[in-house]
Amino acid sequence: MPQVSEALDTTVRYTGKHTAVIVVSGDVDLHTAPLLRVEALTAMTRGARHLVLDMAEVDFVDSTGLSTLIVLLHTTQEPGGSLRVARVPERLVRMVTMTGIAELLPLHDTVADALAALGVDDDAAHDGADGAANPGGGASADRRADTSATARADLDTDVSASVSGVQD
C-alpha cells in the first residue's frame, strides 16, 4: 500500500541573483508535490533561473513527485535555467535511476557540488552550500539574494508559506 504523506517542508535559500537552493523534507507525493512546484515557481519569479533541490530529508517520492521533478526540469530549462538534485537518499537514487529520470536530471552528492556544476557566476559566494541551513545564503552585493522562505504543507491544513529577507 502506498505511503500517505503527512507533511512536506521546504526552505528556499537564495545563493545569488539567479540561483536558489530548495531544501525539501518529508514526502513528495500526490498531496504535497503541488507545494514543491509552487515553491520552485515562486523562486523563479524572484529571479532564480537555476534551482538545486536538497533531498537529504525526503523519505518517500511517488509517481506524482517524480513527475513534478520532470516538470520542474522543463520549467527551469525554458528560460535558460537548470535544475539539479543533491543529497538524494540511496533508496530514492534507485527509484530515479530505474525510472530513467537520472538520465535527464543531474544528481549530486552535495549541494556544493550541484552549485559548482551549474557554472553560474552569481554575485553570491557559495559559503555554507553543503546543504546545511544557512540563513540569508551567501554574501552578496545584491541584498535581495539574502532572502529565505519556508513553507509547510499538512494534509489537514491549507498550504502556508512565510517569506523573510532584507529588501533594498
Side-chain angles (χ1 to χ4, degrees), residues 146-159:
D146 291 337
T147 304
S148 65
T150 302
R152 177 175 175 80
D154 290 312
L155 287 179
D156 298 330
T157 61
D158 292 331
V159 172

Side-chain angles (χ1 to χ4, degrees), residues 6-60:
E6 298 209 8
L8 176 79
D9 291 317
T10 61
T11 301
V12 180
R13 180 171 42 94
Y14 296 87
T15 61
K17 281 185 183 182
H18 305 294
T19 308
V21 174
I22 302 174
V23 179
V24 184
S25 300
D27 298 340
V28 184
D29 60 19
L30 176 66
H31 302 289
T32 62
L35 174 66
L36 179 57
R37 197 168 36 252
V38 166
E39 287 298 308
L41 294 175
T42 300
M44 291 181 70
T45 62
R46 297 190 70 177
R49 291 189 308 252
H50 305 282
L51 303 178
V52 174
L53 299 180
D54 180 347
M55 305 285 278
E57 298 298 320
V58 172
D59 299 317
F60 175 78

Side-chain angles (χ1 to χ4, degrees), residues 4-166:
V4 177
S5 171
E6 298 209 8
L8 176 79
D9 291 317
T10 61
T11 301
V12 180
R13 180 171 42 94
Y14 296 87
T15 61
K17 281 185 183 182
H18 305 294
T19 308
V21 174
I22 302 174
V23 179
V24 184
S25 300
D27 298 340
V28 184
D29 60 19
L30 176 66
H31 302 289
T32 62
L35 174 66
L36 179 57
R37 197 168 36 252
V38 166
E39 287 298 308
L41 294 175
T42 300
M44 291 181 70
T45 62
R46 297 190 70 177
R49 291 189 308 252
H50 305 282
L51 303 178
V52 174
L53 299 180
D54 180 347
M55 305 285 278
E57 298 298 320
V58 172
D59 299 317
F60 175 78
V61 177
D62 70 1
S63 60
T64 305
L66 293 175
S67 188
T68 297
L69 293 178
I70 293 169
V71 167
L72 293 179
L73 174 66
H74 292 297
T75 303
T76 56
Q77 288 176 337
E78 285 176 13
S82 61
L83 177 68
R84 305 269 173 170
V85 181
R87 300 185 346 132
V88 181
E90 185 58 38
R91 65 193 173 278
L92 297 180
V93 169
R94 285 191 302 273
M95 178 187 285
V96 169
T97 302
M98 287 184 344
T99 59
I101 294 173
E103 294 176 23
L104 303 171
L105 189 60
L107 303 179
H108 300 276
D109 290 336
T110 68
V111 172
D113 289 347
L115 289 169
L118 287 174
V120 176
D121 187 21
D122 272 333
D123 290 337
H126 298 303
D127 296 336
D130 60 356
N134 181 10
S140 173
D142 180 357
R143 297 301 293 168
R144 287 171 293 192
D146 291 337
T147 304
S148 65
T150 302
R152 177 175 175 80
D154 290 312
L155 287 179
D156 298 330
T157 61
D158 292 331
V159 172
S160 64
S162 64
V163 177
S164 64
V166 178

